[in-house]
Amino acid sequence: MHRFFVDPDCIRDGRAGVDGAVARQVSQVLRMRVGEIIALLDGTGWEYVVSLNSLSPSRLEGEVVSESFLSGEPDVSVTLYQGIMKGEKLEMVLQKGTELGISAFVPVVCHRSIPRAGGGRADARLKRWRSIVREAAEQSGRSLIPTVEAPVSLRDALEQARGVTLMAWEGEHETGLREALSKRLEQARVEGLGLLVGPEGGFEPAEVELAMEAGAVVVSLGRRTLRSETAGLAMAAAAMYELGELGTPGDAAGDPLAELTGVRSKEVQRGQRE
Ligand code: SAM
């Protein structure tokens, strides 16, 4: 089913009315017909399944046949603090991270990050990053569009981080990701989880020190050195797995409603409209 984020005002009293790009996409590109169904997401977590009853390149209208809330969102808020990399590697991380369930992306300017042009180029880049995340959210069935912040310093990233922060450092040989994560699952679920990954050149020891002083837990991702763009995604996938997000709703360990009913506590499913 094709899904589109639209302005919340497009849905009112069980009816949908959408103008502009989405109408053009549905009628001209996807060549959909009256009677077919699409999903419209209002960006606040609600998803509406809509049966089309009128369609033109400039406007579509339909009737809401069912709605659900946060059905595509994980039960844990994961922020990826990604050391800025060369070229367009971040774009792949944004797309795959959105599919995996990351809720916020914060590009981090580290000591060994390759400097990038600022000004208008930076604005255009941020705009492109945000459109990549929006498209990935539509494709993967997210109920919310993850946020993408403008690049920040490592110090600022550590200041804004909340809950559990895990810093991946290949110089760490005591604590592994799984050990650190499994001890902090409940805290992560309640307060959020931050994953901190360095650029291609890695973190400076002083940056690791800074992170530890700020309360981050430094973890190893194993004996192999992962590319920067691999590390964040591997951590995100591992976190989602540990939290039961890579499975059926009943897998969401620690969610009594899910274990009982198979419907996660945050997911409010409403059946067919009367
Ligand atoms: N020092 C690395 C090297 O020798 O190539 C450069 C850093 S690595 C390519 C990029 C980032 O991925 C690191 O800053 C770290 O955050 C993460 N990373 C890669 N492999 C890791 C591992 N085995 N354990 C922990 N972090 C790792």
Side-chain angles (χ1 to χ4, degrees):
M1 176 161 53
H2 296 291
R3 309 168 78 257
F4 304 93
F5 282 96
V6 295
D7 188 291
D9 294 340
C10 295
I11 313 278
R12 191 177 298 282
D13 303 330
R15 307 194 61 72
V18 185
D19 301 312
V22 171
R24 198 169 34 262
Q25 171 89 1
V26 171
S27 65
Q28 304 290 85
V29 178
L30 299 172
R31 310 194 76 71
M32 294 186 76
R33 297 271 169 271
V34 166
E36 290 188 85
I37 58 167
I38 58 172
L40 298 179
L41 302 118
D42 72 356
T44 69
W46 282 101
E47 174 170 347
Y48 301 91
V49 175
V50 171
S51 171
L52 295 170
N53 52 33
S54 85
L55 193 51
S56 77
S58 58
R59 180 174 175 78
L60 68 81
E61 290 187 354
E63 191 186 342
V64 174
V65 294
S66 75
E67 60 199 46
S68 63
F69 185 62
L70 289 184
S71 55
E73 291 305 300
D75 284 342
V76 59
S77 171
V78 181
T79 300
L80 175 58
Y81 297 94
Q82 174 65 54
I84 288 198
M85 302 169 280
K86 284 181 288 196
E88 309 316 327
K89 294 177 193 169
L90 181 65
E91 297 188 6
M92 190 270 292
V93 173
L94 293 171
Q95 184 188 60
K96 303 307 172 198
T98 298
E99 294 166 38
L100 281 167
I102 286 178
S103 298
F105 296 93
V106 181
V108 181
V109 181
C110 300
H111 193 84
R112 296 176 187 167
S113 290
I114 313 290
R116 304 181 70 138
R121 294 275 303 276
D123 296 344
R125 200 166 48 231
L126 186 56
K127 198 157 170 263
R128 173 161 172 69
W129 289 345
R130 287 173 172 160
S131 74
I132 288 169
V133 164
R134 181 193 181 99
E135 281 165 28
E138 287 176 340
Q139 173 274 324
S140 60
R142 296 291 298 269
S143 310
L144 297 172
I145 302 175
T147 58
V148 184
E149 278 192 39
V152 295
S153 67
L154 176 61
R155 187 177 299 278
D156 287 350
L158 292 166
E159 249 169 46
Q160 75 178 46
R162 294 287 170 272
V164 176
T165 303
L166 303 178
M167 171 188 244
W169 184 46
E170 60 285 5
E172 170 59 34
H173 301 298
E174 299 298 316
T175 306
L177 171 63
R178 183 186 180 121
E179 176 200 343
L181 192 53
S182 56
K183 282 182 188 160
R184 297 171 175 83
L185 285 181
E186 267 328 293
Q187 186 191 358
R189 196 174 264 120
V190 172
E191 298 174 22
L193 173 63
L195 307 175
L196 186 49
V197 173
E200 293 96 336
F203 288 118
E204 298 263 329
E207 290 175 316
V208 177
E209 271 305 306
L210 185 70
M212 289 171 75
E213 282 158 18
V217 178
V218 181
V219 298
S220 166
L221 299 181
R223 290 187 291 275
R224 289 162 297 287
T225 299
L226 309 180
R227 289 179 185 276
S228 182
E229 61 272 28
T230 312
L233 296 176
M235 292 178 90
M240 293 304 173
Y241 174 79
E242 279 294 315
L243 287 149
E245 291 288 344
L246 295 189
T248 57
D251 287 351
D255 181 335
L257 182 66
E259 282 159 5
L260 271 180
T261 65
V263 174
R264 291 180 314 162
S265 48
K266 277 168 67 171
E267 187 175 338
V268 174
Q269 286 278 18
R270 297 213 183 140
Q272 302 291 338
R273 281 189 154 269
E274 294 75 46

